[in-house]
Amino acid sequence: MLNIDLLPQPLRSDEKGQKRCCLLQQTTANGQMTEKALWFVYPANLPMPEDDDCDAYLLATLLPAMQMRAAIHVHGSVSHELLANLTELQYVWNKWLPDRYFLIDIQVDRMREQDWHVGGAIAAFSGGVDAQFTAYRHATGRAGYATRNIKAGVFVHGFDIPLEDTKGFASAAKIAAKVLADINIDLVIVKTNIRTLWSINWEDYHAAAIASVLCGLKRYAGIGLIGSGDSYDVLISPWGSHPITDPLLSSGDFRLIHDGAGFSRSEKLQALAEWPLGIENLRVCWVGDKHDSNCGRCEKCVRTRLNFLVAGIDNPQCFSEPMDSSLFKSMALKGRAVSIDWKLIRHEMIKTGRGLEWLPYIEKALKRKPPPNLNRLFPVGSRRRMWVKKLLMRNG
């Protein structure tokens, strides 16, 4: 049986910021141990949790541990509320994907019963449609009684922009800061190595990763917002960020809210049309060479451009060139979630009468057989994958 010990380390502060770190010791049944460090770097001027507060570390470790069938021992404190929520979260993932995620045991040295909330909220902010919509609707009071006072948008270096791309991230962060400043919201930059630690499906894991980052800011704001991906009428399960699971990432002193699921992406863009600076600086692409702009040609970019058409917005400035039929020539829709999004766009076009000239191209993309899922054919860590890798290296 595999065991993972979480050992929180003292906070380190320097001119680069405040580094919260936890050592992860993995021990196998025969006593072999490996150790790696999970870390987050926050701005220097923000209040941090106690050194032994392990809520963020446990959030980051749970799903990978469930995948490895590894028991967790936390050598620090964890919120009782978080432990209760993660108990339920385990049941959700085990029911959704019983062959991938297994129920595990969690032990903690100290359980915190009395937690307190500070005021205000923070929102995960990448510059994409969902993040921009959440920031804009709350900053302008368009969320009605649900409106939260968002103190900052949190932009993470190490998620869709890898840590080694410092230039691309700096440029993207500069744009994000300008956009948020326009609606009187600050930008907080956090760096983390969380995505490099485990081989786990990011579609499953991303909300837990976001929650672990936001949770580290619990002394700055007591509520965290994650912009929804799908609307309530087309919810996809299993999926990492979901109205069922996101609230279960909350602790006694930090509440996580799944925000905006009452709107489709096209409806979100229609609302954002009233915010020209936001539309101009929208960043949805993660496959292009430049991490601070949109390539305009990948599946995510083309899908967003179709959403724009449904919203009644032609040739938005966040894309450098107008729509062209060549974009659909070899468009492959990978995965059920992407196909559902394209089918929703087709439905919205027929309903609104906007963008109808693109329907034949959408139909062809939906009928085109997607390429094989290489991760299924060659799972990470498998002998088959290692053999193919060696073969490619030898021939290269």
Side-chain angles (χ1 to χ4, degrees), residues 56-93:
Y57 307 138
L58 181 56
L59 282 165
T61 308
L62 178 69
L63 216 57
M66 289 180 66
Q67 183 175 258
M68 295 184 284
R69 300 195 196 195
I72 298 174
H73 185 175
V74 181
H75 297 268
S77 74
V78 178
S79 160
H80 186 180
E81 184 73 16
L82 178 61
L83 289 168
N85 283 334
L86 295 187
T87 299
E88 190 67 21
L89 184 66
Q90 286 197 60
Y91 289 126
V92 176
W93 279 107

Side-chain angles (χ1 to χ4, degrees), residues 25-85:
Q25 292 182 347
Q26 294 182 196
T27 308
T28 61
N30 60 9
Q32 290 184 324
M33 190 188 78
T34 58
E35 183 178 274
K36 50 190 175 184
L38 163 66
W39 54 260
F40 307 87
V41 178
Y42 295 93
N45 59 335
L46 297 179
M48 291 284 99
E50 298 293 327
D51 287 354
D52 78 334
D53 185 326
C54 292
D55 289 4
Y57 307 138
L58 181 56
L59 282 165
T61 308
L62 178 69
L63 216 57
M66 289 180 66
Q67 183 175 258
M68 295 184 284
R69 300 195 196 195
I72 298 174
H73 185 175
V74 181
H75 297 268
S77 74
V78 178
S79 160
H80 186 180
E81 184 73 16
L82 178 61
L83 289 168
N85 283 334

Side-chain angles (χ1 to χ4, degrees), residues 3-7 9 21-27 32-38 193 197:
N3 292 283
I4 301 178
D5 289 271
L6 273 57
L7 304 165
Q9 302 299 296
C21 182
C22 179
L23 295 181
L24 308 172
Q25 292 182 347
Q26 294 182 196
T27 308
Q32 290 184 324
M33 190 188 78
T34 58
E35 183 178 274
K36 50 190 175 184
L38 163 66
N193 70 332
L197 293 177

Side-chain angles (χ1 to χ4, degrees), residues 265-274 307 310-313 354:
R265 281 175 63 85
S266 299
E267 290 169 335
K268 289 179 179 181
L269 286 170
Q270 203 163 14
L272 288 173
E274 299 178 25
N307 285 132
V310 173
I313 304 169
R354 302 188 189 116

